[in-house]
Amino acid sequence: MPTPLRIGVIGTGGIAEHSLVPALKTLPQAQLWSVLSRDKNRATAFAKQHAAAAPQPAHDNLDEFLTDPQLQAVIIASPDKLHAEQVIACAKAGKHVLVEKPFVTNIEEGKCAIEACRTNGVKLSVALHMRWHSGMRKLHQLVTQEKILGPIRHIRAQWTWRADDASDWRAGDELGRWWPLAGTGPHCLDTIRWFADFRNNPVVDRSALLSREVWKGPHEETGIILLKFANGITAEAISSVLFAAPSRFEIYGADNYAICEGTMARSGRGTISIGGKPLLFDPVNPYAGEIANFIEAIQLGRNPEVTGEDGLQVVEDLLYAVNS
Ligand SMILES: NC(=O)c1ccc[n+]([C@@H]2O[C@H](COP(=O)([O-])OP(=O)(O)OC[C@H]3O[C@@H](n4cnc5c(N)ncnc54)[C@H](OP(=O)(O)O)[C@@H]3O)[C@@H](O)[C@H]2O)c1
């Protein structure tokens, strides 16, 4: 087996602490190498807690973090509006990048980030972990390869949570461009696109509805995006911070239907039924799958399963919702 890939992490917040770094540590092909925080003490504590392996693992300066010649790849887990410049800085320093969703907050910067990775010969992937949910992967195979539902007609994805107030940085303009649509919207939209075979079946029409009547801030509190694909599949993505319920992913074919409850989540669990009969699967950590795929792309010199272009298509949907 090749030596483990030395990976640094930008950001010490929720997703880095609770999902990405724990997943990375389960992979023999990965090594947590270093961490960048705005605060040196926080970086030091995080590096110590997670046994980051670099001789100098804790940084509070991006350039210094990236100068480390032994650092090979970076996972970016910072607020959305910081992603583009951080991807570009990583690419220029020759580091491969796995960036959290939403990839970027406007199309131009997304194109620049993709181009920077291409010209500097580094891999770029966007962290959309639902692609590695073992049950959803099994369902995807059954639906898209074995066509067990017949031709797909409609897809519906709903993932919501209940916010207590509007203090989340996603609710404001400084660091985010969307609130629930950035939180869970990219997972809903990418999973819909994945089942609709978006690479061969592009989106040809969109519609959107937003509500922001509770806190009346700059960003949506509920966001609904409707898509129509070239072959006629219609789809709905629903994200909200106003109510909590198990997530739903529903897919309707001409011959049968599948309902997934609680699969769109961080856990890798949930239930799936096809025409009312359970589809059994062994839950796995989907974040480990996403990081393993990124490493494989680097080591085998191929595209990751979720490319920068895939991430940018989701951003197009999100921008449509707020600009229409
Ligand atoms: N794929 C998923 O399942 C999933 C789930 C949740 C979030 N995410 C994505 O991951 C990214 C981070 O989200 P999160 O929920 O982890 O956010 P979070 O808890 O607020 O953490 C973000 C971290 O970024 C760093 N940061 C750098 N500059 C910052 C600034 N100006 N303000 C605030 N934080 C700053 C902070 O670490 P330092 O204080 O150490 O600098 C902070 O802890 C977002 O893009 C989000 O969409 C993905």
Side-chain angles (χ1 to χ4, degrees), residues 18 35 49 63 86 93 110 141 149 170 190 246 267 283 299 305:
H18 299 298
V35 58
Q49 185 193 343
D63 291 338
Q86 290 173 340
Q141 164 76 20
L149 306 183
R170 293 166 188 80
D190 182 69
S267 68
Q299 292 177 338
E305 182 153 331

Side-chain angles (χ1 to χ4, degrees), residues 166 212-219 221:
R212 51 170 78 88
E213 272 65 33
V214 175
W215 289 290
K216 302 181 172 55
H219 293 170
E221 295 158 2

Side-chain angles (χ1 to χ4, degrees), residues 4 20 24 67 178 186 197 279 292:
L20 295 168
L24 186 159
T67 302
W178 312 270
D197 190 21
L279 176 70

Side-chain angles (χ1 to χ4, degrees), residues 31-309:
Q31 181 178 48
L32 178 67
W33 185 251
S34 55
V35 58
L36 173 71
S37 167
R38 291 164 297 170
D39 180 278
K40 189 68 174 260
N41 289 335
R42 203 152 48 239
T44 304
F46 192 94
K48 190 169 172 209
Q49 185 193 343
H50 294 290
Q56 289 186 359
H59 300 269
D60 62 1
N61 175 284
L62 179 63
D63 291 338
E64 180 200 289
F65 167 75
L66 290 174
T67 302
D68 178 352
Q70 295 196 78
L71 177 69
Q72 294 173 292
V74 174
I75 296 179
I76 297 176
S78 58
D80 309 345
K81 281 194 174 169
L82 307 181
H83 292 176
E85 64 173 273
Q86 290 173 340
V87 172
I88 291 167
C90 291
K92 286 184 175 164
K95 317 299 181 193
H96 305 283
V97 195
L98 173 62
V99 58
E100 264 303 343
K101 57 77 208 165
F103 169 32
V104 289
T105 54
N106 74 59
I107 298 297
E108 259 332 290
E109 65 182 21
K111 287 183 179 164
C112 289
I114 290 170
E115 184 57 16
C117 291
R118 198 187 60 76
T119 53
N120 289 285
V122 299
K123 296 293 178 194
L124 168 64
S125 185
V126 180
L128 287 158
H129 69 279
M130 289 311 303
R131 300 259 199 122
W132 287 274
H133 184 289
S134 53
M136 298 295 272
R137 273 188 99 78
K138 195 168 178 181
L139 182 64
H140 186 267
Q141 164 76 20
L142 291 171
V143 170
T144 62
Q145 305 302 311
E146 297 176 34
K147 316 270 184 207
I148 55 153
L149 306 183
I152 302 171
R153 301 302 192 210
H154 187 71
I155 310 175
R156 186 169 175 278
Q158 174 175 311
W159 188 353
T160 70
W161 77 98
R162 186 172 160 199
D164 294 328
D165 54 40
S167 59
D168 191 330
W169 54 258
R170 293 166 188 80
D173 261 337
E174 193 194 343
L175 296 167
R177 189 145 185 193
W178 312 270
W179 189 359
L181 283 177
T184 57
H187 297 301
C188 295
L189 291 160
D190 182 69
T191 308
I192 287 170
R193 285 173 168 278
W194 181 43
F195 273 81
D197 190 21
F198 70 98
R199 291 211 176 96
N200 303 306
N201 183 30
V203 167
V204 293
D205 202 2
R206 296 181 178 93
S207 185
L209 192 62
L210 305 180
S211 108
R212 51 170 78 88
E213 272 65 33
V214 175
W215 289 290
K216 302 181 172 55
H219 293 170
E220 82 290 345
E221 295 158 2
T222 295
I224 303 174
I225 298 178
L226 306 180
L227 302 178
K228 184 173 131 183
F229 291 85
N231 70 353
I233 295 176
T234 50
E236 305 156 66
I238 303 173
S239 298
S240 179
V241 297
L242 298 182
F243 58 97
S247 69
R248 301 277 292 185
F249 184 78
E250 302 166 10
I251 178 158
Y252 300 92
D255 303 333
N256 208 344
Y257 64 92
I259 306 285
C260 311
E261 192 169 278
T263 55
M264 306 203 64
R266 297 187 185 185
S267 68
R269 297 182 179 277
T271 59
I272 301 178
S273 65
I274 298 171
K277 295 198 185 102
L279 176 70
L280 300 179
F281 59 92
D282 293 323
V284 297
N285 181 339
Y287 296 95
E290 133 189 313
I291 298 169
N293 177 268
F294 171 60
I295 295 172
E296 221 171 80
I298 295 164
Q299 292 177 338
L300 301 181
R302 65 182 188 208
N303 279 339
E305 182 153 331
V306 186
T307 62
E309 286 81 0

